[in-house]
Amino acid sequence: MNLLAVNLPIVVLLPFVGAIFAALASKINRLAAAWTSGAVTLLALAFLSPAVSLPFAGETLVQSWAWMESAGLFFAFRLDGLALLFALLILVIGLLVILYARYYLAAKDCMGRFFAYLLMFMGSMLGIVLSENILQLVIFWELTSITSFLLISYWQHRKDARQGARMALAITGAGGLALLGGVLLLGHIVGSYQLSDVLAAGDLVRTHDLYLPTLGLILLGVFTKSAQFPFHFWLPHAMAAPTPVSAYLHSATMVKAGIFLLARFFPVLSGTPEWSWLVGGAGLLTLLIGAYTALFKHDLKGLLAYSTISHLGLITLLFGFGTQLAAVAAIFHIINHATFKASLFMVAGIIDHETGTRDMRKLNGLIKYMPHTAALAIIASLAMAGVPLLNGFLSKEMFFAEAVTASQANAYAWLIPVLVTLAGIFSVAYSLRFIHDVFFNGEPVGLTRTPHEPPRFMKIPVDLLVILCLAVGILPIYTVAPILDVAVTGTLQTTPPQYSLAIWHGFTLPLLMSLLALSLGVAVYYKRAWFFTTYRRYFQRINAKRYFNRLFKQLTRVAVAITRRFDKGSLQHAAVWVIAASVVIGTAGFMQFSSPLFGERPLMAADPVTLVVGVILMIASLLTVALHRRRLISLIIIGVVGLIIALGFVKFSAPDLALTQLSVEVVTIILLLLALYFLPQASPKEIGRRRLWRDALIALLSGIGVTLLTMMVLTREFDPISSYFIENSVPGGGGTNVVNVILVDFRGFDTLGEIVVLALAGLGVFALLQGMKLPAPQHDLQGRVWSLDAHPTIMQTLTRLLLPLMLLVAVYIFLRGHNLPGGGFIAGLIASVALIVQYLANGIAWTQQRLKIDMHWSIGFGLLIAISTGLVAMLLGYPFLTSAFTHLHWPIVGEFEVASAIAFDLGVFLVVVGATVMSLVQLGKLSTASHKADHPTSQQKESV
Amino acid sequence: MEWLIALMIGVMTASGVFLTLRARTFPVVLGLTLLAYAVNVFLFAMGRLNIGVPAVIEAERLAYTDPLPQALVLTAIVIAFGMTAFLIVLSLKARSELGNDHVDGLHLAQDEESLHATLPPRQADPKRHADHPFEQTDALIASTTTQPIQGERQQ
């Protein structure tokens, strides 16, 4: 098999599978989880490697399988330059983070959980960047939100971790919802959810009426994920995560997912004023706020978090400029930021690990204790500040150049280079603080232990990243140029514009801005006391977490208030809402039809007998209601209703239904009688008159509604599909009783489902009754003691005689079912009645001694037989539950027809008998048990 | 005839709905049973009313009633039984766990009082006033062990 046809889904799914192994491996050995994760990542890289050369050759690799074609959803993957760049970033930095985390996590931390989450995150992230289908992209997008939630809250015992995780989930989750809306709109405009089609439809999208809502929704997703103003505040709180997570998710990969989306949709959505204002505006504000705030954070990771926000703003602003060169700069800065920021986070983690604190007021002069780490941190910080010969300088230079270009746009655009330089100044200042405050500036304050260098392998990932910073900074052409070029091609979907990666461009305006930023940045850091005072006085009070929590609380309160209005924890209340709503909605629905209420179909004349019987039914229904508080009486009256319905089925050509209804009626009433024994014999009077009237009104309206609905149908002609069943019953199903043939043959699958439900109900009854203890009442409401004469002798004798007869009837009804009214359901019910009568008349203990069949087996075998008849048909190459029949000639009996459906019907029979008898006998046992508890004498009597 | 059937369905629905909205489990089960009857007859009536033409194939007959609604209703009847069985046992479970038969699992102290007030008087039995059925059982077990009451039973 050609690997290039399937390797991308393997790359994406491998980490998910690996997560399971990582979790399991940690049970064997703590460190095995780390090695498993590393191996999985390497394996994913190996699967990716055969395809790496394709984007360089200008090809886009697409691997697509239909998933839900009608919804436009494909299981589809794509590898172009942009996807390749991100996939490599995710996998390579992922590998370094795994190595780092293996040393970072303490002995008491659960390794398996951490690495399983991390791998799942890696898979989700790869899914985003490698998706060809944009709906599938949204699925992976949501998965990153969830896995990031799990990773942030990894230290579950810490309150800040839980709160930070919840905040991140709430914000990125809301953004994900908006993104889904945007993507749906985009697919609607384009007519396809495949990225190839979407990328080719830029002009169509930009001129479409729905462009603005589409853009807005997609940008909401982007801004929340990439921590752009005003959604930036979740990122600093997400720093409660373990540092490897911060390095991986919150600087190198996940927060770049939003940026990735900007790049992905750059050819489709960019180039309009709306794009420039929204994307550029958010980017510029985020850049400034992040750079300014970062300077004042005493927490190492807090400083890095705000710095990350500021750099994300920078990249967003570059995309906002909308030019091709700006896109080049943006992609370049993505690479650079990922390298220097990941290494800085790792350094912060090392310092935390070795000193036990991240507070820069305590950390001073660490260069003496950890010179190697200090050197790495200083180089990475300088790259962050944009010092020449480091990678940050190159992309920042390009950024300044683009800002200068953008200043021509309108009368106020000259502000852009000024503000951008301002942000540059602060970014130099906070980088300087990271270096000076931590590694110089006197001696450490109040540390509990003497810091020293971390284990060698913990530094190796940082070493590699810092070497990369230097290599790219000094020799850009030989290091980053090819991948940058192919990534830009993938982003723009055309050949990239001319750009230069040279370090020296001569004395230009951007260089002046860089110098200005560097020198003024040093000055700001020198004068930091004044800046700290102003920050404390004016800005420190602004705490986004407080606003967020308040908003969250209010939203919750509104949600709870709305829910409380409908759900008061009361079934009655809920039932009123459901029934009243269906009455109102049903009425409203029928109001819209203009056609007359009733049709033209001629009505049948009512004969007097039917009329009288029908009126008796109505009276019985109403009496059930009127006397419902006297439960025994109402139960007897409801039996009248059921029996009249059975008569009605006889009258209106439904013998099968009549037989079923009759036997079910018997079983139901016995069941309810048994249960009633344990319930209060009467209901208390209700005090609320208003509630009674309200319920009566709802009931009346429902009754009128249903009556009218029935009449509307019955007065109209119809064209049933049943002629098919009637015509094919004999030739196709081999039976003349069409109802039974439908049940066991035409719609056999439905019937299978229904007997499964019945089996579950029977087993559910059994399970519920296990170990239930209910006190038996001593006497009825009138104070009469319950009769202890449990088993009248005449009835005992009669039922024993009747049993074989009744079973014979059941067999007869079963066998003739295919051709005459009867069948498995009815025969099963008749057999159940026959058995239940034995239990009732002779007692459970007596009957069980003689009838040693466990009803569980009956249910199980019934289902097994029913399913295997279907499977046999499948084995013979027919669809599930196809039946066959033949005519056999039996001696004496004569011509006899055998249909395979009779085996299915046997399954139905067994399930019905099993479920019915089990329900009743279990309930009966309960009363026997309570009798025994109450009446020691009756126990003796029964054992006789 | 159609009006009669429609009215029957309507009355059963109305009665069923009213009982379903009651506060005690037993009337609710009865109400749901009535509703199930109404739904079954309604479904059955969708095949229109036909007299004397059951859907059993005979050589010399041309007219047959619609067998499809019948097949649907047949299983619906059996399933309604399964549901009733499950519900009633669920209500027993609720009574055994919560000590009352209110649909919301509430134990209202005035229950027994209101029974007194509205139903015919019965023999005074202090044991019935215990708040919880378990306490009742305990009391009963205690009474059977301390004072033999078989004599009363055998009368």
Side-chain angles (χ1 to χ4, degrees), chain A residues 703-772:
Chain A
I704 292 172
V706 171
T707 308
L708 289 179
L709 183 63
T710 314
M711 275 317 283
M712 281 149 82
V713 177
L714 292 186
T715 52
R716 284 177 163 83
E717 289 297 344
F718 77 135
D719 183 21
I721 57 171
S722 304
S723 53
Y724 171 83
F725 299 121
I726 292 169
E727 281 157 20
N728 287 290
S729 178
V730 176
T736 53
N737 182 6
V738 188
V739 175
N740 185 266
V741 175
I742 292 177
L743 282 176
V744 298
D745 195 333
F746 291 124
R747 311 287 307 163
F749 200 56
D750 286 359
T751 311
L752 182 63
E754 275 145 351
I755 57 174
V756 170
V757 173
L758 192 64
L760 286 177
L763 294 175
V765 167
F766 178 78
L768 276 177
L769 287 172
Q770 287 303 299
M772 191 192 283

Coordinates of all heavy atoms in Angstrom, one line a residue, chain A residues 703-772:
Chain A
G703 N -58.1 16.6 25.7 CA -59.1 15.7 25.2 C -59.8 16.2 23.9 O -59.9 15.5 22.9
I704 N -60.1 17.5 24.0 CA -60.8 18.1 22.8 C -59.8 18.1 21.6 O -60.2 17.7 20.5 CB -61.2 19.6 23.1 CG1 -62.3 19.6 24.2 CG2 -61.6 20.3 21.9 CD1 -62.6 21.0 24.7
G705 N -58.5 18.4 21.9 CA -57.5 18.4 20.8 C -57.4 17.1 20.2 O -57.5 17.0 19.0
V706 N -57.3 16.0 21.0 CA -57.1 14.7 20.4 C -58.4 14.3 19.7 O -58.3 13.7 18.6 CB -56.8 13.7 21.6 CG1 -56.8 12.3 21.1 CG2 -55.4 14.0 22.1
T707 N -59.6 14.6 20.2 CA -60.8 14.3 19.5 C -60.8 14.9 18.1 O -61.1 14.2 17.1 CB -62.0 14.8 20.3 OG1 -61.9 14.3 21.7 CG2 -63.3 14.3 19.7
L708 N -60.6 16.2 18.1 CA -60.6 16.9 16.8 C -59.6 16.3 15.9 O -59.8 16.1 14.7 CB -60.3 18.4 17.0 CG -61.5 19.2 17.7 CD1 -61.1 20.6 17.9 CD2 -62.8 19.0 16.8
L709 N -58.4 16.0 16.4 CA -57.3 15.5 15.5 C -57.8 14.2 14.9 O -57.6 13.9 13.7 CB -56.1 15.3 16.4 CG -54.8 14.8 15.7 CD1 -54.4 15.8 14.6 CD2 -53.7 14.5 16.6
T710 N -58.4 13.3 15.8 CA -58.8 12.0 15.3 C -59.9 12.2 14.2 O -59.8 11.6 13.1 CB -59.5 11.2 16.4 OG1 -58.6 11.3 17.6 CG2 -59.7 9.8 16.0
M711 N -60.8 13.1 14.4 CA -61.9 13.4 13.4 C -61.3 13.9 12.1 O -61.7 13.6 11.0 CB -62.9 14.3 14.0 CG -64.0 13.7 14.8 SD -64.6 12.2 14.1 CE -65.6 12.8 12.8
M712 N -60.3 14.8 12.3 CA -59.7 15.4 11.1 C -59.1 14.3 10.2 O -59.1 14.3 9.0 CB -58.6 16.4 11.5 CG -59.2 17.8 11.9 SD -58.2 18.6 13.1 CE -56.9 19.3 12.1
V713 N -58.5 13.3 10.8 CA -57.9 12.2 10.1 C -59.0 11.3 9.5 O -59.1 11.0 8.3 CB -57.0 11.4 10.9 CG1 -56.4 10.2 10.1 CG2 -55.8 12.2 11.4
L714 N -60.0 10.9 10.4 CA -61.0 10.0 10.0 C -61.9 10.5 8.9 O -62.6 9.7 8.2 CB -61.8 9.5 11.2 CG -61.0 8.7 12.3 CD1 -61.9 8.2 13.3 CD2 -60.3 7.5 11.6
T715 N -62.1 11.8 8.8 CA -63.0 12.3 7.8 C -62.2 12.5 6.4 O -62.8 13.0 5.5 CB -63.6 13.6 8.2 OG1 -62.5 14.5 8.6 CG2 -64.5 13.4 9.4
R716 N -61.0 12.1 6.4 CA -60.3 12.3 5.1 C -59.9 11.0 4.5 O -59.7 10.0 5.2 CB -59.0 13.1 5.4 CG -59.3 14.6 5.6 CD -58.0 15.3 5.9 NE -58.1 16.8 5.7 CZ -58.7 17.6 6.6 NH1 -59.1 17.1 7.8 NH2 -58.8 18.9 6.4
E717 N -59.9 11.0 3.2 CA -59.5 9.8 2.5 C -58.0 9.6 2.7 O -57.2 10.5 3.0 CB -59.8 9.9 0.9 CG -61.2 9.9 0.6 CD -61.9 8.6 0.9 OE1 -61.1 7.6 1.1 OE2 -63.1 8.5 1.0
F718 N -57.5 8.4 2.5 CA -56.1 8.1 2.6 C -55.6 7.0 1.6 O -56.4 6.3 1.1 CB -55.7 7.8 4.0 CG -56.0 6.4 4.5 CD1 -55.1 5.7 5.2 CD2 -57.2 5.8 4.2 CE1 -55.3 4.4 5.6 CE2 -57.5 4.5 4.6 CZ -56.6 3.8 5.3
D719 N -54.3 7.0 1.4 CA -53.8 6.0 0.5 C -52.7 5.3 1.2 O -51.5 5.7 1.2 CB -53.2 6.8 -0.7 CG -52.7 5.8 -1.8 OD1 -53.2 4.7 -1.8 OD2 -51.9 6.2 -2.6
P720 N -53.1 4.2 1.8 CA -52.1 3.5 2.7 C -51.0 2.7 1.9 O -51.3 2.4 0.7 CB -52.9 2.5 3.5 CG -54.1 2.2 2.6 CD -54.3 3.5 1.8
I721 N -49.9 2.4 2.5 CA -48.9 1.6 1.8 C -49.2 0.2 2.1 O -48.4 -0.7 1.7 CB -47.5 2.0 2.4 CG1 -47.4 1.8 3.9 CG2 -47.1 3.4 2.0 CD1 -46.0 2.0 4.4
S722 N -50.3 -0.2 2.7 CA -50.5 -1.5 3.2 C -50.8 -2.5 2.0 O -50.7 -3.7 2.2 CB -51.7 -1.6 4.2 OG -51.4 -0.7 5.2
S723 N -51.2 -2.0 0.9 CA -51.5 -2.9 -0.2 C -50.3 -3.8 -0.5 O -50.5 -4.9 -0.9 CB -52.0 -2.1 -1.4 OG -51.0 -1.2 -1.7
Y724 N -49.1 -3.2 -0.3 CA -47.9 -4.0 -0.6 C -47.9 -5.2 0.3 O -47.6 -6.3 -0.1 CB -46.7 -3.1 -0.4 CG -45.4 -3.9 -0.4 CD1 -44.8 -4.2 -1.6 CD2 -44.8 -4.4 0.8 CE1 -43.6 -5.0 -1.6 CE2 -43.6 -5.1 0.8 CZ -43.0 -5.4 -0.4 OH -41.9 -6.1 -0.4
F725 N -48.2 -5.0 1.6 CA -48.1 -6.1 2.6 C -49.2 -7.1 2.3 O -48.9 -8.3 2.4 CB -48.3 -5.6 4.0 CG -47.2 -4.6 4.4 CD1 -47.6 -3.3 4.8 CD2 -45.9 -4.9 4.4 CE1 -46.6 -2.4 5.2 CE2 -44.9 -4.1 4.8 CZ -45.3 -2.8 5.2
I726 N -50.4 -6.6 1.9 CA -51.5 -7.6 1.7 C -51.2 -8.4 0.4 O -51.4 -9.6 0.4 CB -52.8 -6.8 1.5 CG1 -53.2 -6.2 2.8 CG2 -53.9 -7.7 1.0 CD1 -54.3 -5.2 2.7
E727 N -50.6 -7.8 -0.6 CA -50.3 -8.5 -1.8 C -49.1 -9.5 -1.6 O -49.1 -10.6 -2.2 CB -49.9 -7.6 -3.0 CG -51.1 -6.9 -3.6 CD -50.8 -5.6 -4.3 OE1 -49.6 -5.4 -4.6 OE2 -51.7 -4.8 -4.5
N728 N -48.2 -9.1 -0.8 CA -47.0 -10.0 -0.7 C -46.9 -10.9 0.5 O -46.0 -11.7 0.7 CB -45.7 -9.1 -0.6 CG -45.4 -8.5 -2.0 OD1 -45.0 -9.1 -2.9 ND2 -45.7 -7.2 -2.1
S729 N -48.0 -10.8 1.3 CA -48.0 -11.6 2.5 C -47.9 -13.1 2.2 O -47.0 -13.8 2.8 CB -49.3 -11.3 3.3 OG -49.3 -12.1 4.5
V730 N -48.7 -13.6 1.3 CA -48.7 -15.0 1.0 C -47.5 -15.4 0.1 O -46.7 -16.3 0.5 CB -50.0 -15.5 0.4 CG1 -49.9 -16.9 0.0 CG2 -51.2 -15.3 1.3
P731 N -47.3 -14.7 -1.0 CA -46.1 -15.1 -1.8 C -44.8 -14.8 -1.2 O -43.8 -15.6 -1.4 CB -46.3 -14.3 -3.1 CG -47.3 -13.2 -2.8 CD -48.1 -13.7 -1.7
G732 N -44.7 -13.7 -0.4 CA -43.4 -13.3 0.1 C -43.1 -13.9 1.5 O -42.0 -14.3 1.9
G733 N -44.2 -13.9 2.4 CA -44.0 -14.2 3.8 C -44.5 -15.6 4.1 O -44.2 -16.1 5.2
G734 N -45.3 -16.2 3.2 CA -45.8 -17.5 3.4 C -46.8 -17.6 4.5 O -46.9 -18.7 5.2
G735 N -47.6 -16.6 4.8 CA -48.6 -16.6 5.8 C -49.8 -15.8 5.4 O -49.6 -14.8 4.6
T736 N -51.0 -16.2 5.8 CA -52.1 -15.4 5.4 C -52.5 -14.4 6.4 O -53.3 -13.5 6.2 CB -53.3 -16.4 5.2 OG1 -53.5 -17.2 6.3 CG2 -53.1 -17.2 4.0
N737 N -52.0 -14.5 7.7 CA -52.3 -13.5 8.7 C -51.3 -12.3 8.5 O -50.2 -12.4 8.9 CB -52.2 -14.0 10.1 CG -52.5 -13.0 11.1 OD1 -53.0 -11.9 10.8 ND2 -52.3 -13.4 12.4
V738 N -51.8 -11.3 7.8 CA -50.9 -10.2 7.4 C -50.2 -9.5 8.6 O -49.1 -9.2 8.5 CB -51.6 -9.2 6.5 CG1 -50.6 -8.2 5.9 CG2 -52.4 -9.9 5.4
V739 N -51.0 -9.3 9.6 CA -50.5 -8.7 10.8 C -49.3 -9.4 11.3 O -48.2 -8.9 11.6 CB -51.6 -8.5 11.9 CG1 -51.0 -7.9 13.1 CG2 -52.7 -7.7 11.4
N740 N -49.4 -10.7 11.5 CA -48.3 -11.5 12.0 C -47.1 -11.6 11.0 O -46.0 -11.5 11.4 CB -48.8 -13.0 12.3 CG -47.7 -13.8 12.9 OD1 -47.0 -14.5 12.2 ND2 -47.6 -13.7 14.2
V741 N -47.4 -11.6 9.7 CA -46.3 -11.6 8.8 C -45.6 -10.3 8.8 O -44.3 -10.3 8.7 CB -46.9 -11.9 7.3 CG1 -45.7 -11.8 6.3 CG2 -47.5 -13.3 7.3
I742 N -46.3 -9.2 9.0 CA -45.6 -7.9 9.2 C -44.7 -8.0 10.4 O -43.5 -7.6 10.3 CB -46.6 -6.8 9.3 CG1 -47.4 -6.5 8.0 CG2 -45.9 -5.5 9.7 CD1 -48.4 -5.5 8.1
L743 N -45.2 -8.5 11.5 CA -44.4 -8.5 12.7 C -43.2 -9.4 12.6 O -42.1 -8.9 13.1 CB -45.3 -9.0 13.9 CG -46.3 -8.1 14.4 CD1 -47.1 -8.8 15.5 CD2 -45.6 -6.9 15.1
V744 N -43.3 -10.6 12.1 CA -42.2 -11.5 12.1 C -41.3 -11.4 10.8 O -40.2 -11.9 10.8 CB -42.6 -12.9 12.4 CG1 -43.2 -13.0 13.7 CG2 -43.5 -13.5 11.3
D745 N -41.9 -10.8 9.8 CA -41.1 -10.9 8.5 C -40.9 -9.5 8.0 O -39.7 -9.0 8.0 CB -42.0 -11.7 7.5 CG -41.1 -12.1 6.3 OD1 -40.2 -11.4 6.0 OD2 -41.4 -13.2 5.7
F746 N -41.9 -8.8 7.5 CA -41.7 -7.5 6.8 C -41.0 -6.5 7.8 O -40.0 -5.8 7.4 CB -43.0 -6.9 6.4 CG -43.6 -7.6 5.3 CD1 -44.9 -8.1 5.4 CD2 -43.0 -7.8 4.1 CE1 -45.5 -8.7 4.3 CE2 -43.6 -8.5 3.0 CZ -44.9 -8.9 3.1
R747 N -41.5 -6.4 9.0 CA -40.9 -5.5 9.9 C -40.3 -6.2 11.1 O -40.4 -5.8 12.3 CB -42.0 -4.5 10.5 CG -42.9 -3.9 9.4 CD -42.2 -2.8 8.6 NE -41.6 -1.8 9.5 CZ -40.6 -1.0 9.1 NH1 -40.2 -1.0 7.8 NH2 -40.1 -0.1 9.9
G748 N -39.6 -7.3 10.8 CA -39.0 -8.1 11.8 C -38.0 -7.4 12.7 O -37.9 -7.6 13.9
F749 N -37.3 -6.5 12.1 CA -36.3 -5.8 12.8 C -36.9 -4.9 13.9 O -36.4 -4.8 15.0 CB -35.4 -4.9 11.8 CG -34.1 -4.5 12.4 CD1 -33.2 -5.5 12.8 CD2 -33.7 -3.2 12.4 CE1 -32.0 -5.1 13.3 CE2 -32.5 -2.8 12.9 CZ -31.6 -3.8 13.4
D750 N -38.0 -4.3 13.6 CA -38.8 -3.5 14.6 C -39.1 -4.4 15.8 O -39.0 -4.0 16.9 CB -40.1 -2.9 14.0 CG -39.8 -1.8 13.0 OD1 -38.6 -1.4 12.9 OD2 -40.8 -1.2 12.5
T751 N -39.7 -5.5 15.4 CA -40.1 -6.4 16.4 C -39.0 -6.9 17.3 O -39.1 -7.0 18.5 CB -40.8 -7.7 15.8 OG1 -41.7 -7.2 14.8 CG2 -41.5 -8.5 16.9
L752 N -37.8 -7.1 16.7 CA -36.7 -7.5 17.5 C -36.4 -6.4 18.5 O -36.1 -6.6 19.7 CB -35.5 -7.7 16.5 CG -34.2 -8.1 17.2 CD1 -34.3 -9.4 17.9 CD2 -33.0 -8.1 16.2
G753 N -36.4 -5.1 18.0 CA -36.2 -4.0 18.9 C -37.2 -4.0 20.1 O -36.9 -3.7 21.2
E754 N -38.4 -4.3 19.7 CA -39.5 -4.2 20.7 C -39.3 -5.3 21.8 O -39.5 -5.1 23.0 CB -40.8 -4.3 20.1 CG -41.3 -2.9 19.6 CD -42.1 -2.9 18.4 OE1 -42.2 -3.9 17.7 OE2 -42.6 -1.8 18.0
I755 N -38.9 -6.5 21.3 CA -38.8 -7.6 22.4 C -37.5 -7.3 23.2 O -37.5 -7.6 24.4 CB -38.8 -9.0 21.8 CG1 -37.7 -9.2 20.8 CG2 -40.1 -9.4 21.3 CD1 -37.5 -10.6 20.3
V756 N -36.6 -6.6 22.6 CA -35.4 -6.2 23.5 C -35.9 -5.2 24.6 O -35.5 -5.3 25.7 CB -34.3 -5.5 22.6 CG1 -33.3 -4.9 23.5 CG2 -33.7 -6.6 21.7
V757 N -36.8 -4.3 24.2 CA -37.3 -3.3 25.2 C -38.0 -4.1 26.3 O -37.8 -3.8 27.5 CB -38.2 -2.3 24.5 CG1 -38.9 -1.4 25.6 CG2 -37.5 -1.4 23.6
L758 N -38.9 -5.0 25.9 CA -39.6 -5.8 26.8 C -38.7 -6.6 27.7 O -38.9 -6.6 29.0 CB -40.6 -6.8 26.1 CG -41.6 -7.4 26.9 CD1 -42.6 -6.4 27.5 CD2 -42.4 -8.5 26.1
A759 N -37.7 -7.2 27.1 CA -36.7 -7.9 28.0 C -36.0 -7.0 29.0 O -35.9 -7.4 30.2 CB -35.6 -8.6 27.1
L760 N -35.7 -5.8 28.5 CA -35.0 -4.9 29.4 C -36.0 -4.5 30.6 O -35.6 -4.3 31.7 CB -34.6 -3.6 28.7 CG -33.3 -3.8 27.8 CD1 -33.0 -2.6 27.0 CD2 -32.1 -4.2 28.7
A761 N -37.3 -4.2 30.2 CA -38.2 -3.9 31.2 C -38.3 -5.0 32.3 O -38.3 -4.7 33.5 CB -39.6 -3.6 30.6
G762 N -38.4 -6.2 31.8 CA -38.4 -7.4 32.7 C -37.2 -7.5 33.6 O -37.3 -7.6 34.9
L763 N -36.0 -7.3 33.0 CA -34.8 -7.4 33.8 C -34.7 -6.2 34.8 O -34.2 -6.3 35.9 CB -33.6 -7.4 32.9 CG -33.5 -8.6 32.0 CD1 -32.3 -8.5 31.1 CD2 -33.3 -9.9 32.9
G764 N -35.2 -5.0 34.3 CA -35.2 -3.8 35.1 C -36.1 -4.0 36.4 O -35.7 -3.7 37.5
V765 N -37.3 -4.6 36.2 CA -38.1 -4.9 37.3 C -37.4 -5.8 38.3 O -37.4 -5.6 39.5 CB -39.4 -5.6 36.8 CG1 -40.2 -6.2 37.9 CG2 -40.3 -4.6 36.0
F766 N -36.8 -6.9 37.7 CA -36.0 -7.8 38.6 C -35.0 -7.1 39.4 O -34.9 -7.3 40.6 CB -35.4 -8.9 37.7 CG -34.6 -9.9 38.4 CD1 -35.2 -10.9 39.1 CD2 -33.2 -9.8 38.4 CE1 -34.5 -11.8 39.8 CE2 -32.5 -10.7 39.2 CZ -33.1 -11.7 39.8
A767 N -34.2 -6.2 38.7 CA -33.1 -5.5 39.4 C -33.7 -4.6 40.5 O -33.1 -4.5 41.5 CB -32.3 -4.7 38.4
L768 N -34.7 -3.9 40.1 CA -35.3 -2.9 41.1 C -35.8 -3.7 42.4 O -35.7 -3.1 43.5 CB -36.4 -2.2 40.5 CG -36.1 -1.0 39.6 CD1 -37.4 -0.4 39.1 CD2 -35.4 0.1 40.5
L769 N -36.3 -4.9 42.2 CA -36.9 -5.5 43.3 C -35.9 -6.3 44.2 O -36.2 -6.8 45.2 CB -38.0 -6.5 42.8 CG -39.3 -5.9 42.3 CD1 -40.2 -6.9 41.6 CD2 -40.0 -5.2 43.4
Q770 N -34.7 -6.4 43.7 CA -33.6 -7.0 44.5 C -33.4 -6.3 45.8 O -33.2 -5.1 45.8 CB -32.3 -7.1 43.7 CG -32.3 -8.0 42.6 CD -32.6 -9.4 43.0 OE1 -31.9 -10.0 43.8 NE2 -33.7 -10.0 42.4
G771 N -33.6 -7.1 46.9 CA -33.3 -6.5 48.2 C -34.3 -5.4 48.6 O -34.0 -4.7 49.6
M772 N -35.4 -5.3 47.9 CA -36.4 -4.3 48.4 C -37.1 -4.8 49.6 O -37.5 -5.9 49.7 CB -37.3 -3.9 47.3 CG -38.2 -2.7 47.5 SD -39.5 -2.6 46.4 CE -38.7 -1.9 45.0

